[in-house]
Structure formats: structure tokens, C-alpha cells
């Protein structure tokens, strides 16, 4: 007589990592479009006659529906109620539709003077497409996070999240590297001999990539269905379904708010600063303007390598709050060095940027895997959505006000100041946020210690009720 041992599908390492490759590729495609317009800004101003206010309006559209219409939160609730297959496919279709609308806006010549909501018709339609895409990519992000927890919980979860984040950073890097060459390659020369770049070409390339990414996620749904079948075959009791009252549990959880606060402070101390980093290299460190973007470009490249390594470290040693505190302290050091008028030499800026890369990799690699430790799996979609919602509030306001409105409306006065001290000002503001980001890290450390004490206390009580005597971690009957 032979025994047939049934295993869950996620017990297979090959299947786990294959699934991760599929969903991570989908996110790579999404992040490519997220950042594809940044290198095109000078071309938009030259070819399509956009100004800084138009560009700031367009960039801020990413968070319109997520922040003001709460679409991201609704997406998290749908994720918890309907599951990863339904929500993920819906998110992919939103990304494709949003990119398609954006491509239509950029390729269409509208009547001169055509306005919508006070902005050029082209700008408004492109922003609307970007806003729809923003809903899709953010919901896809929280869906992929829940997928990783589903397949890797109790295994290499932090490493898997680190690899997924690294893959997404590859999408960002590709956007910075390939966008301008694609626009130039498909450009054309008019009858007067003037060369015109093809701005729609990189956006069309993104649209094709998003279609391929949607197919990749569709393939994943078959694996997910088989995983659910294997869990049912084991006879495991399913978790209680998500209820609306679970939102109250999430928002009353102290650990959740500590992570959400750390998230918004940490990322708002990095992303807006990077937008001014090239200017900082020129104004303070006397770097050639043609090479000024090279030093800040080390940041995403470093994150690609370091985030999985730190994720693997977290899987082995735990200590998530400690790792986040170390990363926050490194962030404070980096922005202090950038803000102080010392060692205004390019090699010093390079070293500081590398240290920023360590911090930028260390904190997320510990922060995101910490969420499943304090939030039940059935509520993870909503929890991640709420964290991203808080983050979007911080980032959207800074990008629109700092990069668009002020530069567009007060160009005569502010632009000259920004050109001279904008990078240093950004470093100073980022330093204040880095100091703030340290506080939630300490809070999480105390929260983890309290949780550990509570668990140990319950363990001791249970032992006493069963008339056993506890010695350290071992209970022996008396």
C-alpha cells in the first residue's frame, strides 16, 4: 500500500518563481509607461508647445482618481472580496485603455485654441488617459503584492517582494534609457530640413508592452486557479470572507498607521528630490549638464541589485523595524550631506548617491513584507490600498505644486531662484522628511516588541492553564 502525498501548488519552487516572473513582468510594463513622459518633457515643449504648467497638470493626473475618487481604496476592497484573478485582469485592462487614450491624445492634432477644463484639449485628454492608467497600475501593484503573499508566505516572501520591486525599477530605468532614442529613431525630417522627433513612438511601444503584460497576467490566472484547487484538496478551512467592518480593524491598527506614515515620508523624501537632483549636480557640484543625470541614475540601478539582497536578509534574520530604522538614519545622513555646503566635488556626490541607493533599497525591502505580519491576509488588499492612497496624497501634491504651478505662474521670479538653489532647497526639504521618517521606524520597533510580549504573555497563561511549567521557549509537564 502506497501513500499519496498531496502538496500545495506553491510548495513547488519552480512554480513559485515562474508565477513571480509573470506578474513581475506585468508590473515592469506598467512602470515603463509611468515614467516614459519624463525624458520627453523638452520635446513636448518644442514639438507640441506644452509649458511647465501643462506638464505639471498632466503629471498630477496620476493620482486624480486614486486620491479624490478613492478608486485605489475601492480597488483594494474589490481585491479582498473578488480575489486576485478578477481584480488583476481588470487592472491590466484599465492600464491598456488609459495608455490607448493617452496615445490618441498625443497623436491627434486638435483645433488651435481648443480647451477643456481650462487646459489645452490635448493636454486634458492625455491627462485623463494617464489618470485611468494610474488607477490600473496602482491596483495592479497591490494585487501583485497580495499574489506574492499568497504564493510565498512562510517561504521567501521578502526576497520575492524585493525581486518584484527590482523588476519594476528595471521598467523605470528602461523608460529613462530607451524613450529618447525611440523618439529619435522614428523621427522625420521635413521639407525645410528640420528634424522632428516622433513623440508618440515610445508611447505606442508602451501600449504594445502593456498588451503583452496583460497576456502574461492572463497566463498567471490559470496557475492561481490551480493553487486554489490544491488548497481545497487539502481540506484547509477557508478564511472568513472580507467584510466592510474589516476596514475599521485596519484603520484602528497602530502598526498599519506607522507603516503608512513611514511610507509617505520616506518616498516623498526620495522621489521629488530626484526630480531636482540633476540640477543639484550642476549648481552645487559643478557637473557638466550633459552628464548631470548620470549620478542620480545610479539610484534605480542600485535598487535593482540591492533590494532583492536586503529582502533575502530580512527573510533570514527578520528585524524588519530595525532595518527600517537603519535605512531612515542613512536617509538623514544623505540629505544632510547634500544640504551642507561641504565637499562640492562630483565624486563626493557619487558616494552620497550610492548611500542613498542603499537606503532606498533597505527600507522598502523590509517595509512591504512587514504588512502581512500585522494585517490578516483577507484584509491585505485594502491595507495596501490605504497605504498607497496616503502615499499618493503626499506625492501628488508635491509634484503638481512644486514642478508645475509655481514654475508656470511665477516663472519670472521663482524660476531664477529655483535654477540657482532649487536642488539645495529640495535637499533641505528632503532632510526634514527623512528626519520625520525615522519616527515611524522607532514606533514600529516598539510595536513589534509589544506584540512579542503580548504573544509571550498569552503563551505563559496558556501554559499555566494546562498546568505546565515554562522554561524559556520549552514547556515541560510538571
Amino acid at each position: 500500500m502506497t501513500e499519496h502525498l498531496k502538496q500545495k501548488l506553491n510548495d513547488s519552487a519552480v512554480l513559485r518563481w515562474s508565477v513571480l516572473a509573470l506578474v513581475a513582468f506585468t508590473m515592469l510594463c506598467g512602470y515603463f509607461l509611468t515614467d516614459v513622459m519624463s525624458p520627453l518633457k523638452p520635446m513636448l515643449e518644442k514639438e507640441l508647445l506644452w509649458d511647465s504648467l501643462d506638464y505639471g497638470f498632466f503629471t498630477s493626473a496620476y493620482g486624480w482618481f486614486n486620491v479624490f475618487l478613492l478608486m485605489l481604496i475601492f480597488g483594494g476592497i474589490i481585491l479582498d472580496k473578488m480575489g486576485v484573478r478578477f481584480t488583476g485582469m481588470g487592472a491590466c485592462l484599465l492600464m491598456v485603455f488609459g495608455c490607448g487614450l493617452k496615445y490618441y491624445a498625443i497623436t491627434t492634432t486638435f483645433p488651435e485654441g481648443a480647451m477643456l477644463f481650462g487646459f489645452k484639449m490635448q493636454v486634458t485628454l492625455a491627462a485623463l488617459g494617464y489618470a485611468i492608467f494610474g488607477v490600473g497600475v496602482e491596483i495592479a501593484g497591490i494585487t501583485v503584492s497580495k499574489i506574492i503573499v499568497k504564493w510565498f508566505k512562510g517561504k521567501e516572501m521578502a526576497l520575492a517582494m524585493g525581486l518584484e520591486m527590482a523588476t519594476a525599477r528595471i521598467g523605470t530605468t528602461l523608460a529613462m534609457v530607451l524613450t529618447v532614442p525611440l523618439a529619435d529613431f522614428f523621427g522625420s525630417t521635413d521639407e525645410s530640413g528640420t528634424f522632428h522627433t516622433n513623440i508618440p513612438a515610445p508611447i505606442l511601444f508602451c501600449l504594445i508592452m502593456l498588451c503583452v503584460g496583460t497576456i502574461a497576467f492572463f497566463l498567471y490566472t490559470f496557475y492561481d486557479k490551480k493553487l486554489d484547487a490544491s488548497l481545497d484538496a487539502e481540506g484547509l478551512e477557508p478564511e472568513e470572507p472580507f467584510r466592510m467592518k474589516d476596514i475599521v480593524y485596519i484603520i484602528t491598527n497602530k502598526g498599519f498607521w506607522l507603516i503608512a506614515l513611514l511610507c509617505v515620508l520616506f518616498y516623498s523624501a526620495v522621489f521629488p528630490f530626484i526630480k531636482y537632483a540633476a540640477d543639484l549636480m550642476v549648481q552645487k557640484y559643478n557637473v557638466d549638464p550633459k552628464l548631470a543625470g548620470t549620478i542620480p541614475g545610479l539610484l534605480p540601478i542600485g535598487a535593482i541589485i540591492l533590494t532583492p539582497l536586503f529582502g533575502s536578509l530580512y527573510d533570514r534574520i527578520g528585524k524588519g523595524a530595525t532595518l527600517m530604522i537603519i535605512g531612515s538614519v542613512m536617509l538623514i545622513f544623505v540629505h544632510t550631506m547634500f544640504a551642507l555646503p561641504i565637499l562640492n566635488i562630483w565624486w563626493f556626490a557619487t558616494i552620497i548617491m550610492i548611500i542613498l541607493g542603499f537606503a532606498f533599497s533597505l527600507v522598502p525591502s523590509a517595509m512591504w513584507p512587514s504588512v502581512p505580519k500585522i494585517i490578516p491576509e483577507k484584509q491585505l488588499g485594502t491595507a495596501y490600498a490605504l497605504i498607497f492612497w496616503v502615499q499618493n496624497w503626499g506625492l501628488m501634491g508635491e509634484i503638481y505644486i512644486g514642478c508645475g504651478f509655481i514654475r508656470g505662474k511665477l516663472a519670472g521670479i521663482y524660476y531664477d531662484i529655483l535654477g540657482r538653489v532649487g536642488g539645495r532647497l529640495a535637499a533641505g526639504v528632503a532632510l526634514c522628511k527623512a528626519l520625520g521618517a525615522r519616527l515611524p521606524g522607532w514606533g514600529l520597533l516598539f510595536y513589534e516588541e509589544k506584540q512579542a510580549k503580548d504573544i509571550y504573555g498569552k503563551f505563559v497563561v496558556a501554559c499555566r492553564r494546562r498546568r505546565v511549567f515554562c522554561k524559556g521557549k520549552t514547556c515541560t509537564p510538571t
Side-chain angles (χ1 to χ4, degrees), residues 82-195:
M82 303 298 294
V84 295
R85 296 194 293 273
F86 176 86
T87 311
M89 284 304 303
C92 288
L93 293 176
L94 282 174
M95 286 194 288
V96 171
F97 178 74
C99 183
L101 180 57
K102 181 177 171 181
Y103 178 72
Y104 166 77
I106 297 298
T107 54
T108 304
T109 302
F110 295 93
E112 188 175 352
M115 305 289 283
L116 185 63
F117 303 125
F119 287 88
K120 300 182 184 76
M121 179 73 75
Q122 184 183 61
V123 174
T124 304
L125 287 179
L128 180 60
Y130 193 42
I132 294 171
F133 166 80
V135 174
V137 74
E138 290 289 316
I139 293 176
I142 61 176
T143 302
V144 168
S145 295
K146 189 164 184 177
I147 287 170
I148 292 173
V149 174
K150 185 176 183 179
W151 283 81
F152 287 88
K153 192 172 184 178
K155 300 177 176 68
E156 315 93 339
M157 187 171 68
L159 173 59
M161 285 190 173
L163 286 169
E164 187 274 325
M165 284 186 277
T167 307
R169 302 293 176 220
I170 292 175
T172 300
T173 305
L174 289 176
M176 298 298 176
V177 172
L178 295 181
T179 298
V180 174
L182 279 172
D184 288 340
F185 181 79
F186 290 100
S188 59
T189 304
D190 61 18
E191 295 178 355
S192 64
T194 304
F195 179 77

Side-chain angles (χ1 to χ4, degrees), residues 398-428:
E398 286 193 44
I399 290 172
Y400 179 60
I401 295 173
C403 301
F405 181 77
I406 294 177
R407 290 181 66 177
K409 295 294 187 184
L410 305 179
I413 302 172
Y414 185 79
Y415 187 74
D416 182 63
I417 298 173
L418 182 64
R420 297 174 184 276
V421 299
R424 301 181 193 187
L425 179 63

Side-chain angles (χ1 to χ4, degrees), residues 447-460:
Y447 182 79
E448 278 191 354
E449 289 181 354
K450 183 178 182 300
Q451 274 194 322
K453 289 177 182 177
D454 290 345
I455 293 170
Y456 182 73
K458 291 176 183 177
F459 176 69
V460 171

